[in-house]
Amino acid sequence: MSFRDNLCFKRRDGAVAPSVVFNNKWSFLSKSYKLSAPCYLHLMTAILLDGKKTSEKLLVEAAKKIKTFPKKLKLVVVMVGADPASRVYVRKKLEACQNVGIISEKVEYPESVSEKELLGKIRELNSDDSVTGMIVQLPLPKHISTPQVIREINPHKDVDGFHAYNLGKMFLSPEFEDLPPATPGGIILFLEEYNISVSGMNVVVIGKSNIVGKPIAIMLLNREATVTVCHRHTKNLAEHTKNADIVIVAAGKPNLLTADMIREGAIVIDVGTNHLENGKLVGDVDFENVAKKAKYITPVPGGVGPMTVAKLILNTIRAYERSTK
């Protein structure tokens, strides 16, 4: 992000004078501002919602809480196949478990595993009292029914929050969001940690998946936001996003949200993870240009991703607490 595009002068009286750089000299765009007024240099850019820093804080607090439990918590991650992205996600989840004192176990199956065998393993984990929570890493191979797999998981051990029981409870109120999906739950934590109240705000969610789009829409409604959900069949997407106080993008398409699609001072949360041909990881937002216009923005990587992992750990703690009641 260049200084030339983002600098202004601010006088002691609070007035802002846009400026440009020319031949290494500052030139004011408005003649009404004079150099005789004491000025300070300000970089006009969005505040980063730092997922790495925020998640680390939450995990430190989680570790302290876990030490007070009389029983060791255990999280089992079931992985099918060798999808590179899934391996990265699983590794981060297991590392987080180790850091906070949760016993973790990874169960791996080849892509050719039958649905019957996978369901049998889930039933085994359901009946194992030493297992606090479990996740089945998605996506699954095409020959395995994802809905059937999710349905088989004990909802009280469903720390990914994908079971219909846990999703259905969310419709009632925030008090019933015991095990929400980890990514939407992480977004809510993000907003809370930065003291951003969504009450009365216009929020546009781009993407209507069961994993992110639909649940985050419900969680925002529970907090008195006015929510619009857009998707691939939405006409004139920019007409919706330009009026939004908050835009949450979870569509899986690089540069889907551009600077001309948001209003000045909007909050932009990028859930996308896309690998470009050059190997670079980017989100769904044209970050460099949108950051010049937004008030808050999440980076990719280092934004929603770490918060998702943190929420998974907090869901595991919540699953244990509910099991003792």
Side-chain angles (χ1 to χ4, degrees):
M1 196 174 296
S2 69
F3 277 80
R4 182 166 306 188
D5 293 331
N6 295 279
L7 290 176
C8 72
F9 279 100
K10 189 171 184 180
R11 302 193 325 192
R12 289 191 188 275
D13 61 7
V16 176
S19 62
V20 294
V21 181
F22 184 72
N23 291 338
N24 295 321
K25 295 181 180 179
W26 294 109
S27 174
F28 286 94
L29 298 179
S30 172
K31 294 181 181 179
S32 62
Y33 294 95
K34 297 179 181 179
L35 284 170
S36 58
C39 298
Y40 300 97
L41 201 60
H42 283 253
L43 186 63
M44 301 298 287
T45 184
I47 298 170
L48 283 183
L49 297 175
D50 190 336
K52 189 173 185 298
K53 181 179 178 180
T54 306
S55 65
E56 287 174 353
K57 173 191 170 186
L58 293 170
L59 291 176
V60 168
E61 295 171 355
K64 292 178 181 178
K65 191 171 189 178
I66 289 170
K67 286 182 180 179
T68 67
F69 295 154
K71 178 183 176 181
K72 279 286 188 179
L73 278 58
K74 182 178 180 179
L75 176 66
V76 178
V77 180
V78 180
M79 182 173 174
V80 179
D83 178 70
S86 292
R87 286 195 173 278
V88 172
Y89 299 147
V90 169
R91 187 186 76 242
K92 291 179 178 179
K93 292 168 184 176
L94 297 179
E95 287 175 354
C97 285
Q98 182 178 3
N99 291 337
V100 300
I102 293 177
I103 299 170
S104 63
E105 179 183 337
K106 180 171 66 171
V107 178
E108 291 190 80
Y109 288 103
E111 191 169 349
S112 59
V113 68
S114 68
E115 181 178 300
K116 181 179 179 181
E117 184 176 356
L118 181 59
L119 294 177
K121 183 61 179 180
I122 292 172
R123 295 187 192 103
E124 178 187 323
L125 295 173
N126 284 341
S127 60
D128 187 341
D129 291 337
S130 71
V131 176
T132 311
M134 74 174 92
I135 66 172
V136 177
Q137 184 65 38
L138 303 179
L140 293 170
K142 292 182 180 180
H143 69 278
I144 296 177
S145 169
T146 297
Q148 182 60 41
V149 168
I150 293 173
R151 189 180 298 120
E152 198 66 45
I153 298 172
N154 180 341
H156 301 295
K157 295 186 178 185
D158 169 41
V159 293
D160 248 345
F162 295 159
H163 195 284
Y165 174 81
N166 292 316
L167 289 173
K169 287 175 63 180
M170 287 171 44
F171 277 76
L172 301 175
S173 71
E175 291 74 24
F176 285 88
E177 295 171 0
D178 292 310
L179 295 177
T183 297
I187 293 171
I188 294 297
L189 284 175
F190 233 155
L191 296 171
E192 291 174 348
E193 287 295 316
Y194 279 83
N195 296 315
I196 299 172
S197 171
V198 301
S199 178
M201 283 195 175
N202 292 319
V203 183
V204 168
V205 177
I206 304 176
K208 63 179 183 67
S209 72
N210 294 333
I211 295 174
V212 180
K214 291 177 185 177
I216 189 60
I218 296 302
M219 295 179 81
L220 291 166
L221 282 171
N222 285 345
R223 289 159 178 80
E224 309 301 338
T226 300
V227 184
T228 300
V229 178
C230 300
H231 45 81
R232 68 181 65 188
H233 297 294
T234 298
K235 298 178 181 178
N236 301 319
L237 177 63
E239 289 187 6
H240 298 281
T241 57
K242 284 179 180 178
N243 295 318
D245 300 303
I246 302 176
V247 181
I248 300 174
V249 198
K253 185 177 180 180
N255 293 326
L256 175 63
L257 188 75
T258 53
D260 62 321
M261 296 173 68
I262 69 163
R263 69 170 185 81
E264 198 80 32
I267 299 169
V268 178
I269 298 176
D270 192 349
V271 187
T273 51
N274 309 286
H275 290 272
L276 303 181
E277 291 183 359
N278 62 8
K280 183 180 179 181
L281 177 63
V282 299
D284 293 348
V285 175
D286 178 9
F287 181 86
E288 181 177 356
N289 293 305
V290 171
K292 299 174 184 178
K293 199 172 179 181
K295 182 177 181 180
Y296 294 96
I297 191 169
T298 61
V300 176
V304 174
M307 294 300 295
T308 298
V309 175
K311 185 56 180 172
L312 179 71
I313 297 299
L314 296 180
N315 276 358
T316 304
I317 292 173
R318 183 59 177 157
Y320 169 75
E321 290 174 332
R322 286 180 57 77
S323 72
T324 59
K325 292 182 178 179

